[in-house]
């Protein structure tokens, strides 16, 4: 049948039509180089700060422990702040009382905490949401089955070398997007 009716099957219009061209930005990104001078300029205009914190955590193992754990954390807060009693070293209190096994031996030191607007409800972000200054002790406060006291021990600008990978990724991403757009327009 086909052989007898070939004319009926001829295509009179193009059968394929390009509606879009995909330009892979990851491939374009490989061709882009960003000088350190450009990254440093970006760093200077967008400096970020981070705070170092120490923590004392007491866990409530059962609902019946609620009042005793709260009383203990309140007593530790008074001792750490020097509220009516001689002020004691926060790190020493953490070593002797904290239930946070990851930080207890380091005097409660949790390291540097970066500001993360996407996790503002995280208890560690209290240092930013409450704008705590160095030396400030916050708490006690409860989160889940734990009570916390936290202290801001340092505040610093994030060094350029630590920011460089993020700055480089952002700059390459922006430039590759612009280059992809230019290629697509051509």
């Amino acid at each position: 049948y086909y052989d007898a009716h070939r004319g009926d099957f001829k295509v009179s219009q193009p059968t394929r039509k390009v509606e879009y061209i995909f330009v892979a930005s990851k491939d374009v990104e490989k061709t882009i180089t960003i000088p350190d001078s450009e990254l440093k300029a970006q760093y200077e205009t967008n400096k970020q700060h981070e705070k170092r914190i120490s923590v004392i955590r007491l866990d409530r193992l059962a609902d019946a422990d609620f009042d005793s754990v709260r009383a203990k954390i309140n007593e530790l807060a008074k001792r750490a702040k020097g509220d009516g009693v001689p002020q004691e070293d926060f790190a020493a209190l953490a070593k002797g009382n904290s239930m946070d096994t990851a930080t207890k031996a380091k005097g409660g030191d949790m390291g540097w905490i970066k500001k993360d607007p996407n996790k503002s409800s995280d208890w560690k972000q209290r240092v930013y949401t409450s704008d705590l200054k160095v030396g400030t002790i916050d708490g006690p406060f409860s989160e889940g089955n734990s009570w916390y006291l936290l202290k801001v021990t340092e505040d610093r600008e994030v060094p350029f070398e630590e920011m460089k990978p993020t700055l480089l990724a952002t700059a390459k991403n922006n430039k590759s997007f612009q280059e992809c757009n230019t290629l697509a327009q051509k």
Side-chain angles (χ1 to χ4, degrees):
Y1 180 84
Y2 175 75
D3 288 337
H5 298 92
R6 283 185 179 213
D8 295 346
F9 292 96
K10 277 198 167 186
V11 178
S12 59
Q13 295 181 27
T15 57
R16 293 187 183 186
K17 194 175 190 182
V18 174
E19 298 205 10
Y20 65 89
I21 297 173
F22 177 74
V23 180
S25 60
K26 66 180 172 74
D27 293 334
V28 173
E29 189 176 292
K30 292 175 187 173
T31 66
I32 295 173
T33 57
I34 311 287
D36 271 2
S37 59
E38 192 175 317
L39 296 177
K40 284 183 180 176
Q42 190 67 17
Y43 169 76
E44 290 299 326
T45 58
N46 295 307
K47 285 190 177 180
Q48 293 184 8
H49 287 264
E50 60 186 0
K51 297 181 182 191
R52 186 177 201 117
I53 65 171
S54 291
V55 66
I56 297 173
R57 185 185 88 205
L58 297 182
D59 298 328
R60 180 170 44 99
L61 303 176
D63 289 340
D65 296 338
F66 183 83
D67 291 331
S68 62
V69 173
R70 183 175 59 185
K72 178 69 174 174
I73 199 75
N74 283 332
E75 181 243 325
L76 290 171
K78 280 184 175 185
R79 291 168 56 189
K81 294 176 183 178
D83 187 16
V85 296
Q87 187 173 9
E88 295 182 41
D89 180 53
F90 192 90
L93 288 171
K95 283 180 182 178
N97 296 282
S98 184
M99 294 179 166
D100 189 338
T101 56
T103 64
K104 182 177 183 167
K106 299 183 285 184
D109 182 31
M110 293 194 74
W112 295 102
I113 306 296
K114 288 184 168 63
K115 185 174 186 174
D116 188 347
N118 297 324
K119 296 182 178 180
S120 59
S121 61
D122 182 6
W123 65 268
K124 291 177 232 152
Q125 292 296 310
R126 289 173 69 101
V127 297
Y128 297 105
T129 57
S130 300
D131 193 27
L132 301 177
K133 305 296 181 212
V134 173
T136 304
I137 296 173
D138 186 36
F141 58 91
S142 176
E143 177 82 23
N145 287 331
S146 299
W147 282 91
Y148 296 91
L149 277 178
L150 70 87
K151 180 179 182 177
V152 179
T153 57
E154 291 181 66
D155 185 353
R156 72 171 183 178
E157 287 179 355
V158 180
F160 173 73
E161 290 305 318
E162 285 184 29
M163 288 290 299
K164 188 176 178 178
T166 303
L167 293 168
L168 183 61
T170 302
K172 277 190 166 191
N173 188 35
N174 291 340
K175 288 205 180 211
S176 67
F177 177 78
Q178 290 169 354
E179 184 63 24
C180 287
N181 190 32
T182 302
L183 287 170
Q185 293 304 319
K186 285 181 181 179

